[in-house]
């Protein structure tokens, strides 16, 4: 409908010629329409722009992904973080019909890769396969991170949890957790603990164990848990804490001894190894989570699309078997979404941060 406006506009009033209106509205020679003031008009324009942007965002989300997506794994290839990230990439590729590729960006306990992901464009084309260290506890060890683990990421979903295992060298004078605690308390200054770097899950696990029994042995850093295990086989390291998969083959071969699973339930991979809870040390409870995160500000429809695809993949029997073979606990459906992961990040941070800061002397 065309409306003819007169040139006269006063106090937000516009006079409209009736000849330009439909016949059923032409009751007189002219009518007056009350127009909004400047502030109201600005608000209307802003609202229109937001609606337009929302429409564009919705369109982008509907088309997403239109090109290859990069999943940053902030650790070297071959470890649990890398294998888990590749399982996630395969899930997204199959369920979203686009290529998802893993890029390993290691260093500084995973924080270099996490920082890169946090600074990426918030468009869904760079996401992070992070874990307990990078996305909940990193600030306990790296005060100048360059990113906020909670504010700079939008959680997508929890992938798996990997209970840690206390492993000692073959000739270590302890056969269970109780004997280990007694020996460690009497010989703390002589003990060497291997870990994969400040802030890694192996570092967090053993720091939590040491805090629980009140000791401060030498913490020896390596470039990964594989070199830690090699050093233990050579008799240079006394013990380490690592997800079950990392030492499983050597435990089964009898080359090292597994004394406790740091969880409430036993690992199906090592059903004969009792838990820390069974052996009277519930404070040693460490099952690092692995999850998928996007840079903060990523449109919610894209987050939802990724979360839905991840949930579908984690419900597949073949995927659950792959994760179980890695020693992972399968995540229940009600714990897989963005909110559940956000809640887990907060609860683990609240639970462990004070302990780890005190143990690390921060």
């Amino acid at each position: 409908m065309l409306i003819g406006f007169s040139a006269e506009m006063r106090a937000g009033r516009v006079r409209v010629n009736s000849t330009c209106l439909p016949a059923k509205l032409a009751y007189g020679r002219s009518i007056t329409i009350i127009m909004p003031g400047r502030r109201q008009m600005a608000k209307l324009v802003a609202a229109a722009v937001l609606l337009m942007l929302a429409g564009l965002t919705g369109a982008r989300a509907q088309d997403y992904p239109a090109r290859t997506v990069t999943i940053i794994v902030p650790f070297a290839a071959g470890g649990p973080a890398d294998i888990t990230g590749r399982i996630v990439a395969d899930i997204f590729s199959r369920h979203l019909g686009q290529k998802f590729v893993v890029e390993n960006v290691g260093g500084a306990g995973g924080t270099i890769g996490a920082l890169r992901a946090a600074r990426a464009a918030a468009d869904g084309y760079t996401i992070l396969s992070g874990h307990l260290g990078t996305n909940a506890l990193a600030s306990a060890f790296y005060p100048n991170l360059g990113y906020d683990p909670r504010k700079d990421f939008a959680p997508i979903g929890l992938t798996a949890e990997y209970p840690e295992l206390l492993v000692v060298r073959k000739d270590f004078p302890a056969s269970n957790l109780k004997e280990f605690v007694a020996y460690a308390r009497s010989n703390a200054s002589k003990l060497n603990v291997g870990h994969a770097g400040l802030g890694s899950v192996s570092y967090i696990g053993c720091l939590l164990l040491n805090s629980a029994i009140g000791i401060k042995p030498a913490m020896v850093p390596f470039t990964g848990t594989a070199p830690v295990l090699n050093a233990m086989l050579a008799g240079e390291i006394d013990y380490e804490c690592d997800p079950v998969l990392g030492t499983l083959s050597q435990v089964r071969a009898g080359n090292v001894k597994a004394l406790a699973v740091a969880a409430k339930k036993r690992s199906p991979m090592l059903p004969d190894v009792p838990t820390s809870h069974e052996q009277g040390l519930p404070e040693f409870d460490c099952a690092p989570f692995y999850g998928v995160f996007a840079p903060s500000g990523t449109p919610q429809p894209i987050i939802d699309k990724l979360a839905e695809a991840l949930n579908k993949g984690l419900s597949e029997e073949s995927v659950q078997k792959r994760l179980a073979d890695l020693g992972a606990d399968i995540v229940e459906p009600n714990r897989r979404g963005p909110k559940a992961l956000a809640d887990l990040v907060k609860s683990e941070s609240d639970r462990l941060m004070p302990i780890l800061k005190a143990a690390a002397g921060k």
Side-chain angles (χ1 to χ4, degrees), residues 236-285:
E236 299 167 359
I237 293 298
D238 295 297
Y239 65 96
E240 69 162 322
C241 302
D242 196 28
V244 173
L245 175 67
T247 55
L248 182 62
S249 61
Q250 297 294 343
V251 170
R252 286 177 171 171
N255 296 325
V256 294
K257 295 189 293 186
L259 301 187
V261 177
K264 293 180 181 178
K265 62 179 181 180
R266 297 192 182 197
S267 168
M269 310 295 288
L270 294 169
D272 295 330
V273 178
T275 70
S276 55
H277 288 254
E278 289 178 74
Q279 299 184 79
L281 195 65
E283 297 86 356
F284 179 43
D285 189 320

Side-chain angles (χ1 to χ4, degrees), residues 122-158:
D123 56 8
Y125 287 96
T126 300
I127 58 179
L128 174 72
S129 180
H131 67 22
L132 174 69
T134 56
N135 291 83
L137 302 176
S139 57
F141 315 110
Y142 298 94
N144 300 312
L145 275 178
Y147 71 93
D148 187 311
R150 305 239 316 249
K151 293 181 180 179
D152 291 341
F153 286 101
I156 294 170
L158 178 62

Side-chain angles (χ1 to χ4, degrees), residues 2-21 25 27-36:
L2 295 176
I3 299 177
F5 292 92
S6 70
E8 183 182 3
M9 298 183 67
R10 294 189 184 92
R13 296 173 181 268
V14 178
R15 189 165 295 281
V16 182
N17 295 328
S18 63
T19 54
C20 298
L21 296 171
L25 294 180
Y27 294 117
R29 294 180 61 190
S30 64
I31 63 172
T32 298
I33 298 177
I34 306 300
M35 298 293 288

Side-chain angles (χ1 to χ4, degrees), residues 172-173 179-192 215-218 238-239:
F172 192 90
E179 293 176 1
F180 172 85
V181 170
Y183 183 86
R185 283 175 175 166
S186 300
N187 299 275
S189 62
K190 302 176 184 178
L191 297 177
N192 292 317
I215 63 171
K216 289 190 175 182
D238 295 297
Y239 65 96

